[in-house]
Amino acid sequence: MDAIDNHWMREYMGGEWALQVLALLSKDEGNEQELKEMCQKYWNLAAVRRIAVEECMGRKDYALALAILDESLELDREMPGLVVNYSQQKKEIYLLTSDRAAYVKQLWALVLEHDRGDFASYQELKEQYTAEEWVHEREKIFEQVV
């Protein structure tokens, strides 16, 4: 348990430090190269990738935001809270871009893998189907949850 706590604390403190430095660098437009290098150097920190996703969203570069989120899912696969957050963000991007198939697929991933037992995700998934379709679809959930 101590190893997990120490890892989490290092990640948190490193992320906070990186956010402070990135905020200072981003105030001066002349630091673009230094800002880019810092992001590359500390890309392993979830906080740095979070800022990158936020910047992509601000520019409406959804493809890059999704790529960063996919990479983050892999890098932080042992951090359940982050995985849920990334998965939720992906779902929101798919909804925003009207990619219904990917949106529904991401809802399934939330319900069956990343956020099992979350009633809001379950309800959101259920709303994607007619009552008749849902009777069959929900069986997939029951089979995997039990």
Side-chain angles (χ1 to χ4, degrees):
M1 183 70 167
D2 285 338
I4 293 170
D5 290 340
N6 288 336
H7 172 73
W8 182 87
M9 184 57 80
R10 273 194 313 276
E11 172 80 15
Y12 176 78
M13 295 304 289
E16 288 300 308
W17 172 82
L19 289 176
Q20 296 290 333
V21 173
L22 288 172
L24 287 171
L25 289 174
S26 65
K27 288 183 181 180
D28 182 6
E29 291 181 20
N31 289 332
E32 285 183 38
Q33 184 59 34
E34 192 175 354
L35 185 61
K36 187 176 180 178
E37 289 170 6
M38 169 118 178
C39 285
Q40 289 173 342
K41 183 175 181 177
Y42 295 102
W43 193 249
N44 64 310
L45 297 173
V48 171
R49 285 179 270 116
R50 185 182 76 231
I51 295 297
V53 169
E54 288 172 6
E55 288 180 9
C56 290
M57 296 299 291
R59 293 190 316 268
K60 297 185 181 187
D61 188 348
Y62 302 122
L64 183 55
L66 287 167
I68 294 169
L69 290 167
D70 285 337
E71 183 179 357
S72 295
L73 280 165
E74 181 60 31
L75 291 171
D76 297 326
R77 67 185 169 276
E78 301 297 324
M79 311 274 294
L82 291 175
V83 168
V84 169
N85 183 275
Y86 301 147
S87 190
Q88 289 280 357
Q89 285 182 289
K90 286 183 68 172
K91 176 194 68 145
E92 293 303 319
I93 292 171
Y94 294 136
L95 185 60
L96 189 63
T97 59
S98 301
D99 188 342
R100 186 179 188 285
Y103 171 71
V104 171
K105 183 178 178 182
Q106 194 62 38
L107 279 169
W108 277 105
L110 277 161
V111 169
L112 296 177
E113 301 167 35
H114 303 167
D115 202 12
R116 293 176 74 153
D118 178 58
F119 189 69
S121 294
Y122 174 87
Q123 280 297 115
E124 197 171 344
L125 180 62
K126 181 180 177 181
E127 291 170 5
Q128 305 309 306
Y129 297 93
T130 65
E132 187 176 293
E133 291 171 325
W134 184 244
V135 170
H136 301 289
E137 293 297 325
R138 71 179 182 198
E139 290 303 315
K140 296 174 187 174
I141 299 169
F142 297 150
E143 288 171 7
Q144 290 205 16
V145 171
V146 181

